[in-house]
Amino acid sequence: MALHDRPSSAVLASRRLGAAGVLTFALAAAIPFPAAVTAVPAAYALGTPTVPLAFAIVGLVLAVFSVGYVAMARRSPHAAALSAFIARGLGRPAGVGSAWIALLSYNAVQISLYGLVGAAAEPMLRSWFGIDAPWWTVALACWLVVAVCGLARVEVVGGFLALLVIAEVAVLTGFAAADLFHPAPAGIITAPFDVTALTGADRPVLGLLLVTAALAFVGFETFATYGEELRRPRRALSRAAYGVVAVTTALLVLVAWTTSVAAGSANATPAAVTRGPELIFDLAAVRLAPWGVTLGRVLLFTGLLAGLIALHHTIARYLFALGRERLVPSWLGRTSPRTLAPQAASLTQSVIAAVVLSVCGYFRLGPETGLFHRLGVGGALGVLVLLLGASLAALLFLNRHPDRENLVRRFVAPALATVALGTLAVLAYRNLPVLLGVAPHDALVRTVPVVFGAELVLGMLYAVVLRGARPVVYAGIGLGGTAVVVSPHVPQPRAPGAHRPERVETPS
């Protein structure tokens, strides 16, 4: 087949982001301030003091995972990174199924953040302006900002997110420093880092603690989504990957440790059970001026907004990539001629979010119902399963097609990451009722794995149908819209003794 260049409307803006820009998007998606405010008290509420050590262990696991993940991203940058890598390593049907799971999971996480951002703004609006605005009005106002950012140039949005993320990190570090300089009567303690206490904990509690810590990192993997838009992909991908893991791990470990220092080792669990996400602000209130606590609440709101913007860009790029490969309507794979942003996919994602928010507002499904918490947990669990699939795919692909990666990059690190992530996935499944906040026999406990399983099976069946009905589309799955097919061999006259020509693989 002949070589056809992709139309310009199906190409993202190249060479517009560096390592810092991608790091900003990934940190915004990982929402460090909101993650610390919610995950640290939730972890202490389990009744074990070794919360900082759990975050450190999970951070190490994700750093090891990033070795193979970065190697895959360097080989074939792709806007739908997780599903594309799974397609390369585990087969095209698995790639299509994982793409459906990715869209469902990221949308669930994003909708949960809309509920949280509305709830975070309510007390500030009431205190400052005397306005009792329902959560969905704030969520829709944030939706408008997100929708506009989805259509802007990626480097402009990256600059805006950089300001929000830097402010988040600065204020979170300030809270931690205040706790450290004004400890509880017991003083500076190191018990949270005691490995013997971790190994001596009950296995169910230990498993739940590790899963809770792992879910706080969801979003870090989105750095690979921007691989096609990087100036120096090989260098930028490595720096962004290890940078986002290092920064997120350091912040979560620091906040978890200083929370125990400020509350006291013996009081951390009771305080976390009683106060929940308010614990971080309560500890800051007795150590900082009131404006400092207020600033923290503002940064909680802006951190959620930054997460919404970053996740919107991730989802839009997944839709764009699937449209470019014609797995969904091809018009979703078009970019704006002016900004080269995935315009059609971004507008589609905005419409989907607006419809879901409107339905939730109409039926009064507010944050108090637990809906948004369950959506967030369910979506994060879906991403965790995709990380496991991507790790296994990297292990298989890099060893089937060895290139410049050494033994550690192509085998040791992906193998260790696959085992560790598989263990976390099993622990998450066993602790679904606690994670979702429902009774062990609640229908939701069975619904979550069934929904993800159905998504995977339906996606795989769709790919099988494509293989017979549209083989060229099937061949292009995971290749960014460039299918590689084998041209039919046409015998050519040759001189006696000449070498017989081989079949040629030609991109189309």
Side-chain angles (χ1 to χ4, degrees):
M1 298 183 66
L3 176 61
H4 299 283
D5 293 332
R6 287 191 310 225
S8 60
S9 60
V11 178
L12 291 167
S14 62
R15 303 180 63 82
R16 285 192 178 175
L17 289 176
V22 179
L23 176 61
T24 295
F25 273 98
L27 281 174
I31 51 174
F33 199 110
V37 168
T38 56
V40 170
Y44 273 117
L46 299 175
T48 176
T50 53
V51 173
L53 191 56
F55 284 120
I57 291 172
V58 172
L60 178 61
V61 168
L62 296 181
V64 174
F65 161 80
S66 296
V67 175
Y69 191 54
V70 168
M72 292 292 287
R74 285 174 167 179
R75 292 274 196 104
S76 53
H78 199 284
L82 286 170
S83 61
F85 300 162
I86 290 173
R88 301 292 296 274
L90 302 183
R92 294 176 178 88
V96 177
S98 64
W100 298 163
I101 293 177
L103 287 175
L104 179 65
S105 299
Y106 283 126
N107 270 286
V109 174
Q110 188 193 44
I111 296 301
S112 74
L113 293 185
Y114 274 117
L116 293 176
V117 78
E122 276 187 306
M124 291 190 293
L125 291 175
R126 188 179 304 112
S127 174
W128 294 350
F129 307 107
I131 300 175
D132 286 320
W135 72 269
W136 56 268
T137 59
V138 177
L140 286 176
C142 292
W143 169 88
L144 181 60
V145 176
V146 172
V148 171
C149 288
L151 302 176
R153 293 167 64 99
V154 66
E155 68 271 26
V156 174
V157 178
F160 175 60
L161 290 181
L163 296 176
L164 299 183
V165 169
I166 290 172
E168 278 186 80
V169 173
V171 172
L172 198 58
T173 304
F175 276 22
D179 291 340
L180 195 61
F181 293 147
H182 300 86
I188 306 297
I189 56 175
T190 58
F193 297 100
D194 187 359
V195 178
T196 59
L198 184 67
T199 56
D202 293 338
R203 287 186 178 180
V205 173
L206 176 59
L208 187 56
L209 173 63
L210 291 174
V211 173
T212 301
L215 297 186
F217 284 83
V218 166
F220 90 96
E221 75 289 342
T222 58
F223 70 87
T225 306
Y226 304 92
E228 299 179 36
E229 300 164 83
L230 293 173
R231 285 190 290 272
R232 297 179 178 177
R234 293 187 63 84
R235 181 182 300 179
L237 285 168
S238 293
R239 291 181 176 180
Y242 302 122
V244 68
V245 172
V247 172
T248 306
T249 302
L251 286 173
L252 290 173
V253 170
L254 176 64
V255 173
W257 176 47
T258 56
T259 297
S260 181
V261 168
S265 182
N267 296 326
T269 292
V273 171
T274 304
R275 299 300 297 158
E278 288 294 314
L279 176 60
I280 304 297
F281 296 110
D282 289 347
L283 295 175
V286 298
R287 292 167 172 81
L288 297 172
W291 65 265
V293 180
T294 301
L295 180 61
R297 293 192 182 278
V298 172
L299 266 296
L300 173 62
F301 173 82
T302 59
L304 290 167
L305 177 60
L308 284 168
I309 295 171
L311 282 174
H312 177 92
H313 276 69
T314 297
I315 299 169
R317 276 158 178 75
Y318 268 80
L319 285 173
F320 161 81
L322 297 180
R324 184 175 59 186
E325 295 179 359
R326 291 178 285 174
L327 297 175
V328 295
S330 59
W331 53 266
L332 288 170
R334 298 173 185 167
T335 55
S336 166
R338 184 172 59 86
T339 65
L340 291 182
Q343 186 177 51
S346 181
L347 289 172
T348 301
Q349 173 58 23
S350 296
V351 170
I352 293 172
V355 170
V356 174
L357 290 175
S358 299
V359 170
C360 291
Y362 179 80
F363 288 102
R364 300 184 183 277
L365 300 175
E368 69 279 356
T369 64
L371 171 66
F372 297 108
H373 166 74
R374 290 160 192 162
L375 280 173
V377 171
L381 290 173
V383 175
L384 179 61
V385 172
L386 291 175
L387 294 180
L388 170 61
S391 183
L392 180 59
L395 175 64
L396 297 178
F397 180 82
L398 295 175
N399 286 279
R400 283 201 304 257
H401 308 281
D403 192 7
R404 288 179 287 181
E405 296 86 12
N406 57 29
L407 182 64
V408 172
R409 289 181 180 274
R410 73 171 188 267
F411 180 78
V412 176
L416 291 175
T418 300
V419 173
L421 290 170
T423 303
L424 287 174
V426 171
L427 293 173
Y429 178 76
R430 291 181 177 178
N431 290 283
L432 264 180
V434 179
L435 293 171
L436 295 172
V438 297
H441 300 292
D442 192 280
L444 191 61
V445 176
R446 297 185 297 275
T447 301
V448 171
V450 167
V451 168
F452 286 127
E455 287 275 304
L456 178 62
V457 171
L458 289 175
M460 295 179 72
L461 290 176
Y462 178 59
V464 171
V465 172
L466 282 177
R467 182 167 55 191
R470 304 177 69 186
V472 174
V473 173
Y474 179 81
I477 294 174
L479 300 181
T482 303
V484 178
V485 297
V486 178
S487 300
H489 171 62
V490 180
Q492 300 290 334
R494 59 192 181 96
H499 178 68
R500 180 181 297 273
E502 299 179 353
R503 294 187 303 173
V504 184
E505 289 191 352
T506 313
S508 167

